[in-house]
């Protein structure tokens, strides 16, 4: 696997030809049937969900949609979900639990949308609810970060039993742009921020947040989407095999502990 | 309306008088509180006696964790958890250690949250208080771990949790580790909830970002202090997106109430009694055996 810096990887994931879930879903799944709406407010184009076969097994797919052109980007709001997107995700996850289907989440967002309507409809509450409900969902959840994993908006689909990242994907607490504008009051220093933030798949593997790194085609997924999809597919097969043989209590305890152990602190009486 | 007018006149009169008194008797500045919202001036003693609420416009000023505990729990009943926990520097962020050492010195806090067990009108509860004096109460490893442990303790001991939230969001100096605290704390809330215990979130100024998008929004009952800032995204970020100024009451407690994300707005001087009533209504009546 390549030894690129975070800002070099940023260039790769921003490549115009970077495959999106619209490319990957037909390569990874058979007979994907899209299901719309959160049953509360509307249907969010930034999160696509549905049922499909993965190598013969029915699974629920929940995916963040980035556009490949302006028309697609208008439909999917440049991949930035509103609360109804997260609520649709939760509805489909609960449905998956009911029918004992594993959930596959494909994460690719700069972050949850920051806007007036998103606030009015409770962006914070929608994300929080997903974190809590996914933590105790009684079915396996596998999340794969495909490109950008931006903050709470990504985490809302990444409370899971296993988190994998594509080799060049980035996953961060705040966008490098946001980081630069807070720290240096200068959003243009994005690349510099990127390299400081420890947000690459190898960084996150070391920090115990990412469990597996999925190789991309040489030079980046855009060079060979099918080869990259094959790598994702073989990862999902193995991940499902590992998780489906576990009892539900064991699965949910392990999921709790996966997040429970993250944190770096010390306790002393002499400070 | 007329009453408002009278009270405004009265306050202006009082304010002027105080102004005069100050000139005459040379009262040092520290003895007066000037409200940042309505600009009226109150004697600090009076302001402090009211729990740091402006007597003129009901502005609820931010409290330290210690001040909050003093007006919320029965005297002498607070037992603090994990008092000496401090953060490491998980992503090797430049100057993070030094910044923390300086803040510890300045605030007397080890990090941005105080947790423990106390009584409210004799009823046992676990209590969590965030303190915005420490890095805007952003959530990193220590905040996440202490809150998680507080919920786990409450789950084991069949106790309710009352959390006074305040936060600028995730602590970006701890990178992805801080993001994971959102999942970790929400998981602990889930277990406490599944065990049938009560969780009351009290949103204070400001409750934003990753804290709004995790445990703060997950209370069985969510209370807010009047006029406080509650939201997910920063106002300036949104203004940047829509290229226009937002109204003053955007992301206020009242805005959240109107949009259905807060159960009630409670004045600080009634808070302890309201919390006590809610605990009683959920059959938390007195002593609970602790493990
Ligand atoms: Zn005032």
């Amino acid at each position: 696997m390549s030894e690129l810096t975070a800002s070099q990887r940023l260039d790769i994931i921003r490549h115009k030809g970077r495959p999106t879930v619209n490319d990957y879903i037909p390569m990874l799944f058979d007979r994907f049937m899209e299901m719309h709406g959160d049953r509360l407010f509307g249907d969010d184009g930034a999160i696509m969900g549905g049922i499909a076969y993965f190598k013969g097994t029915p699974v629920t797919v929940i995916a963040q949609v980035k556009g490949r052109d302006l028309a697609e980007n208008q439909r999917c709001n440049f991949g930035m979900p509103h609360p109804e997107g997260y609520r649709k995700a939760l509805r489909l996850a609960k449905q998956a639990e009911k029918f004992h289907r594993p959930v596959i989440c494909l994460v690719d967002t700069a972050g949850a949308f920051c806007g007036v309507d998103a606030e009015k409809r409770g962006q914070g509450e929608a994300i929080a609810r997903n974190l809590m409900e996914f933590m105790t969902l009684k079915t396996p959840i596998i999340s794969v970060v495909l490109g950008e994993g931006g903050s709470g908006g990504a985490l809302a689909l990444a409370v899971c039993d296993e988190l994998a990242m594509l080799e060049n994907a980035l996953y961060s607490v705040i966008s490098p742009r946001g980081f630069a504008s807070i720290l240096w009051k200068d959003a243009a220093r994005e690349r510099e921020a990127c390299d400081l933030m420890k947000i690459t798949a190898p960084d996150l593997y070391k920090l115990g947040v990412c469990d597996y790194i999925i190789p991309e085609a040489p030079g980046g997924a855009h060079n060979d989407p099918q080869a990259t999809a094959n790598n994702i597919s073989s990862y999902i097969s193995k991940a499902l095999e590992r998780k489906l043989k576990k009892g539900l209590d064991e699965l949910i305890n392990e999921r709790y502990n996966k997040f429970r152990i993250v944190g770096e602190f010390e306790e002393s009486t002499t400070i | 309306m007329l009453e408002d007018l009278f009270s405004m006149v009265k306050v202006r009169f009082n304010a002027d008088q105080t102004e005069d008194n100050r000139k005459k008797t040379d009262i040092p500045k520290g003895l007066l509180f000037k409200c940042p919202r309505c600009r009226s001036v109150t004697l600090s003693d009076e302001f402090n006696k009211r729990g740091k609420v402006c007597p003129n416009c009901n502005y609820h000023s931010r409290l330290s964790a210690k001040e909050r505990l003093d007006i919320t729990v029965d005297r002498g009943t607070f037992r603090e958890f994990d008092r000496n926990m401090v953060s490491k520097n998980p992503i090797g962020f430049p100057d993070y250690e030094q910044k923390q050492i300086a803040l510890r010195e300045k605030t007397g806090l080890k990090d941005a949250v105080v947790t423990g067990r106390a009584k409210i009108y004799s009823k046992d509860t676990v209590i969590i208080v965030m303190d915005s004096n420490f890095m805007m109460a952003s959530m990193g490893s220590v905040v996440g771990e202490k809150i998680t442990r507080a919920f786990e303790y409450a789950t084991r001991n069949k106790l309710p949790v009352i959390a006074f939230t305040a936060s600028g969001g995730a602590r970006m100096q701890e990178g992805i580790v801080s993001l994971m605290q959102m999942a970790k704390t929400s998981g602990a809330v889930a277990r406490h909830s599944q065990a049938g215990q009560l969780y009351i979130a009290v949103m204070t100024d400001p409750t934003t970002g990753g804290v709004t998008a995790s445990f703060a929004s997950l209370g069985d009952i969510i209370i807010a202090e009047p006029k406080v800032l509650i939201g997910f995204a920063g106002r300036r970020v949104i203004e940047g997106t829509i290229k226009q100024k937002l109204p003053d009451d955007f992301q206020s407690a009242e805005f959240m109430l109107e949009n259905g994300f807060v159960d009630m707005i409670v004045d600080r001087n009634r808070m302890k009694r309201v919390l006590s009533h809610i605990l009683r209504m959920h059959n938390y009546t007195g002593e609970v055996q602790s493990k």
Side-chain angles (χ1 to χ4, degrees), chain B residues 33-40 53-59:
Chain B
F33 166 75
K34 184 165 183 204
C35 177
R37 184 180 296 135
C38 71
R39 312 252 156 243
S40 74
V53 174
C54 171
N56 179 38
C57 73
N58 202 28
Y59 166 76

